[in-house]
């Protein structure tokens, strides 16, 4: 017997969500964002299920190379580009597409006097104030890149700061800035993350870059994923490994901060923050035991947590527990823990086995 915590990865749901992207942005090419181990879901498993992608976007060159070794011939964009000059030969050899966001990267490329046939993404900061060249530098950077022997093709991208706040004026402002700067260039353009794919069709342009929606979570705090026809891909599951008969007034777990309001059964689940479940999730966070919704009680510890078994008479040792998935929305758990599903999903640790499932 092994420790029962595991993550089921529903590849049919992944494909369904990808089809949603296609339906929403039929004219745009799709760069599927699979950084951070495909948002915690498992890079190779997800890319295999998403073979119809036009491109993949990730961060680590070793992940890109692992995709090449597994036979993926798709364009692969390195979303933070390269970090030092010794990566340039690997990028060229593996036909990877680095984002160029800073002067120091231009200097490195300038020092490369070979024809490498590089395809690069020039990143413009239209208002996110994170990566990218300020708009005033766009023309000079483009001229510099276009004159480089090692570069064959330049595309342009920018990133939206507020696309998930549908009422924000900033998205329109960023889009206008991006379009004005780039319209005469004839270059391929990309701006839209999941929120913009769903809520700002004018941002779709030549390439969209969906991340969280592929994995079945909502980018909007006020709209559940189900209302956007997205299906959860990861179900984090474990089992009850012990049941305690507690007395009214008993304090449960570290810190003794949850007291039994009556005589009751408390279940111990083999999953904790060492597996990636958020330690900040408070008592009251939803959880499913033996097919019934209940609540987390007491503090989450490294490898275990305790749950309220009142009203779940069928719960026994080995009863299935869903931490999040089809019945407990990861967005709901994230909200209780004061974070977003992005963080929960990509925090699921290596020790949690990912199992591919269909439907
Ligand atoms: C550059 C870039 N594009 C696209 C995405 C996808 O964003 P989302 O997961 O919100 O769709 C990300 C993710 O943070 C990103 O960094």
């Amino acid at each position: 017997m092994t420790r029962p915590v595991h993550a089921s990865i529903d590849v049919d749901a992944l494909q369904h969500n990808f089809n949603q992207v296609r339906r929403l942005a039929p004219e745009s090419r799709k760069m599927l964002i699979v950084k951070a181990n495909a948002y915690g879901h498992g890079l190779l498993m997800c890319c295999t299920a998403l073979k119809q992608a036009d491109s993949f976007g990730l961060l680590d060159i070793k992940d890109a190379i692992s995709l090449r070794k597994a036979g993926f011939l798709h364009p692969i964009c390195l979303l933070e580009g390269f970090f030092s000059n010794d990566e340039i030969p690997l990028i060229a050899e593996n036909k990877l597409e680095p984002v160029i966001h800073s002067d120091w990267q231009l200097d490195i490329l300038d020092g490369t006097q070979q024809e490498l046939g590089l395809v690069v993404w020039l990143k413009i900061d239209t208002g996110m104030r994170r990566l990218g060249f300020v708009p005033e530098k766009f023309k000079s950077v483009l001229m510099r890149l276009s004159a480089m022997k090692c570069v064959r093709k330049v595309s342009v991208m920018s990133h939206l700061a507020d696309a998930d706040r549908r009422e924000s004026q900033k998205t329109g402002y960023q889009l206008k800035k991006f379009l004005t700067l780039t319209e005469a260039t004839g270059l391929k353009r990309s701006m839209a993350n999941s929120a913009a794919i769903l809520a700002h069709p004018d941002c779709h342009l030549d390439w969209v870059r969906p991340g969280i929606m592929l994995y079945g979570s909502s980018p909007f705090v006020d709209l559940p994923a189900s209302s956007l026809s997205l299906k959860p891909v990861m179900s984090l599951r474990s089992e009850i490994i012990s049941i305690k008969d507690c007395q009214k007034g008993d304090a449960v777990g570290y810190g003794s901060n949850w007291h039994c309001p009556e005589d009751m059964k408390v279940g111990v689940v083999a999953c904790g923050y060492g597996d990636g479940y958020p330690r900040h999730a408070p008592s009251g966070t939803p959880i499913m035991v033996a097919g019934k919704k209940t609540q987390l009680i007491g503090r989450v510890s490294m490898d275990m947590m305790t749950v309220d078994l009142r009203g779940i008479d069928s719960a026994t040792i080995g009863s299935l527990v869903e931490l999040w998935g089809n019945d407990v929305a990861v967005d709901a758990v994230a909200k209780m823990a004061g974070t977003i599903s992005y963080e929960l999903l990509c925090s699921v640790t290596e020790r949690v086995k990912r199992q591919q499932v269909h439907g």
Side-chain angles (χ1 to χ4, degrees):
M1 278 290 283
T2 51
R3 206 166 157 261
V5 63
H6 66 278
S8 291
I9 306 300
D10 181 350
V11 290
D12 294 344
L14 194 58
Q15 283 161 355
H16 164 90
N17 298 334
F18 178 39
N19 285 335
Q20 270 299 94
V21 176
R22 288 163 137 174
R23 203 179 59 73
L24 290 161
E27 307 294 327
S28 309
R29 306 194 80 203
K30 285 97 188 149
M31 178 193 291
L32 306 188
I33 305 301
V34 292
K35 62 181 179 173
N37 196 25
Y39 288 44
H41 292 65
L43 180 68
L44 277 182
M45 198 192 295
C46 290
C47 291
T48 303
L50 296 169
K51 269 206 279 286
Q52 283 159 311
D54 297 303
S55 163
F56 293 113
L58 46 69
L59 298 172
D60 297 301
I61 197 162
K62 72 168 182 20
D63 288 341
I65 292 172
S66 77
L67 285 184
R68 288 285 180 255
K69 286 201 170 129
F72 289 88
L73 302 172
H74 303 66
I76 300 177
C77 176
L78 298 173
L79 294 166
E80 291 178 358
F82 50 83
F83 303 93
S84 65
N85 58 357
D86 53 11
E87 288 172 319
I88 303 292
L90 282 174
I91 285 175
E93 193 183 314
N94 289 283
K95 295 195 169 24
L96 309 180
E97 303 185 355
V99 164
I100 307 299
H101 53 77
S102 294
D103 284 323
W104 64 263
Q105 292 178 313
L106 292 174
D107 295 341
I108 285 180
L109 286 181
D110 254 343
T112 311
Q113 293 301 332
Q114 294 155 281
E115 280 188 22
L116 297 176
L118 295 182
V119 173
V120 301
W121 285 88
L122 195 177
K123 186 154 189 176
I124 312 172
D125 176 5
T126 52
M128 175 81 173
R129 309 319 329 265
R130 203 175 61 177
L131 279 189
F133 294 95
V134 290
E136 296 71 37
K137 288 186 83 172
F138 171 64
K139 282 217 169 89
S140 63
V141 172
L142 180 59
M143 274 172 61
R144 212 173 142 189
L145 273 175
S146 307
M148 286 181 192
K149 226 176 171 183
C150 61
V151 173
R152 178 171 65 80
K153 184 178 167 198
V154 181
S155 299
V156 274
M157 72 159 69
S158 190
H159 198 49
L160 292 165
D162 282 2
D164 58 324
R165 291 171 51 220
R166 299 190 300 292
E167 75 292 350
S168 168
Q169 306 286 309
K170 191 162 172 178
T171 301
Y173 168 83
Q174 285 193 258
L175 175 65
K176 193 165 167 218
K177 184 136 234 167
F178 190 53
L179 293 180
T180 311
L181 271 179
T182 55
E183 70 188 342
T185 61
L187 301 176
K188 297 290 181 217
R189 301 184 285 196
S190 174
M191 229 189 172
N193 55 4
S194 297
I197 292 167
L198 289 154
H200 302 282
D202 46 352
C203 293
H204 289 176
L205 308 178
D206 299 302
W207 284 87
V208 291
R209 307 194 305 267
I212 197 71
M213 69 181 289
L214 290 173
Y215 308 102
S217 270
S218 172
F220 309 111
V221 282
D222 59 334
L223 287 179
S226 54
S227 74
L228 303 167
S229 298
L230 299 174
K231 294 187 180 172
V233 175
M234 181 193 291
S235 292
L236 183 63
R237 297 194 176 123
S238 189
E239 292 177 8
I240 298 283
I241 58 167
S242 176
I243 295 180
K244 284 275 145 64
D245 281 307
C246 292
Q247 310 299 308
K248 180 177 178 178
D250 279 356
V252 178
Y254 283 125
S256 300
N257 65 357
W258 196 89
H259 295 86
C260 297
E262 56 189 309
D263 292 355
M264 60 184 279
K265 286 191 191 298
V266 169
V268 180
V269 181
C271 180
Y273 62 79
D275 301 298
Y277 191 90
R279 184 178 173 278
H280 293 303
S283 297
T285 301
I287 190 164
M288 184 108 152
V289 177
K292 293 218 165 110
K293 277 257 177 84
T294 181
Q295 58 167 345
L296 168 69
I297 56 177
R299 257 188 215 159
V300 174
S301 44
M302 189 183 289
D303 316 298
M304 283 171 273
M305 66 181 77
T306 36
V307 292
D308 186 344
L309 292 184
R310 283 176 293 175
I312 314 181
D313 296 338
S314 59
T316 57
I317 303 300
S319 283
L320 191 64
V321 176
E322 181 180 291
L323 289 313
W324 61 67
N326 286 326
D327 297 298
V328 179
V330 64
D331 292 315
V333 178
K335 197 169 178 187
M336 289 294 284
T339 183
I340 51 176
S341 59
Y342 295 70
E343 185 181 3
L344 295 197
L345 293 170
C346 76
S347 298
V348 174
T349 53
E350 283 298 311
R351 77 181 193 188
V352 176
K353 198 169 176 313
R354 274 78 169 162
Q355 293 172 350
Q356 177 171 318
V357 296
H358 290 274

